[in-house]
Amino acid sequence: MVNTTIKTTKSQEIFAAAQNLMPGGVSSPVRAFKSVGGQPIVFDRVKDAYIWDVDGNQYIDYVGTWGPAICGHAHPEVIAALHEALEKGTSFGAPSVLENVLAEMVIDAVPSIEMVRFVNSGTEACMAVLRLMRAFTNREKIIKFEGCYHGHADMFLVKAGSGVATLGLPDSPGVPKSATMNTLTAPYNDLEAVKALFAENPDEIAGVILEPVVGNAGFITPDAGFLEGLREITREHGALLVFDEVMTGFRIAYGGAQEKFGVTPDLTTLGKVIGGGLPVGAYGGRRDIMSMIAPAGPVYQAGTLSGNPLAMTAGIKTLELLQRPGTYEYLDKITQKLADGLLQIAQETGHPACGGHISAMFGLFFTCGPVHNYEDAKKSDMAKFGRFHRGMLERGVYLAPSQFEAGFTSLAHSEADIDQTLAVAREVLSSL
Ligand SMILES: *Cc1c(COP(=O)(O)O)cnc(C)c1O
């Protein structure tokens, strides 16, 4: 079972060629292995909880195509629904009843959503929601949190760690200062910092956007009272509260973090799971706010492939599968077994570590913690994570190639997969 001498010759050949064809050889930078060392594995196919690479190696997958694969890869019912939809054509560029079906499912599930607009990615959803926040409040400034990711739009690419009450500095060349000067940042879980920003910028802040459970700075949970506090502060100041549930939506609970924590934002962004592995994003919220979107209202936002019939089909079937009894109980059970197991093994093998899980999302930091924000997360031992990642990979367990990513489980992960993963982790951690 345990294979420490995997051959990746074909992966290496293909990736070498890719580097000449595409920047860094990838279509998205998170897929590169920059922070863990070594080279990315080139995939051939995915099924259930597993990945096969082009050299024929099999891995237990905890990336799940970065979140969408919550029912397991290539679920037979999703594939069958897609086959049927495919026969009717790949794109209409016109209304279809599939949009109504998925819209109703999203509205029924997510407490804040009374109306929804479909787009093609989480990035697009966050861009659009920002425009809407500003239009609705007639204010330009927003607050985001250090370490939270809201897609790659200019306004959100603001350097983390620049400290409380500093104006945002662009995080990437090509992002003009003018695009980020209205993006204020605060440390996650720091209500006082948020209050200070509101006090310093009276009547200027359109709203606060956050990952209600962070997955893009590693796995970080909101402290008790944090989400409630943000709800109160934004209400007090006539600002909007936006939960970016692109990752958490339909993952940490069917209705997302807002269902799990009982805090209802004004607007919500979705993506990942609602596309069931096809490109979908969405944003939605209060009817009075959403009614401002064109063509109902003046706030422009459009998309040639938005509401695509194949993407809607995969989303509908995925949500149907998630509605079946016991799904979230199962996800929680196996993920708890994995997260607790990893922590215990780290402890037994003498590695300071902290982490946890909520439903099908988990994390492990190589620091004793606790981790409340991005600054805390950065104390994790990156070099150790890199060696851990490599050791797991060589023994058939595929983890996200960065300490600052959450891990994902699926309905297809069996207890045996978790046992196997923990056995491998014990071997790797013992050797570090
Ligand atoms: C993945 C992610 C996004 C961006 O979604 P894309 O589909 O990659 O554009 C935005 N916000 C959060 C919280 C995410 O996890």
Side-chain angles (χ1 to χ4, degrees), residues 241-259:
L241 180 62
V242 183
F243 280 5
D244 178 353
E245 300 229 40
V246 170
M247 187 182 288
T248 53
F250 297 95
R251 175 162 287 278
I252 67 170
Y254 189 69
Q258 50 200 280
E259 176 196 308

Side-chain angles (χ1 to χ4, degrees), residues 130-140 155 182 206:
L130 176 61
R131 184 177 301 145
L132 180 57
M133 286 162 82
R134 288 170 162 169
F136 184 78
T137 57
N138 206 16
R139 299 172 181 180
E140 296 201 352
M155 307 73 73
N182 288 315

Side-chain angles (χ1 to χ4, degrees), residues 105 254 318-328:
M105 293 175 97
Y254 189 69
T318 298
L319 298 198
E320 277 175 14
L321 292 168
L322 288 172
Q323 283 175 358
R324 292 184 185 165
T327 48
Y328 288 89

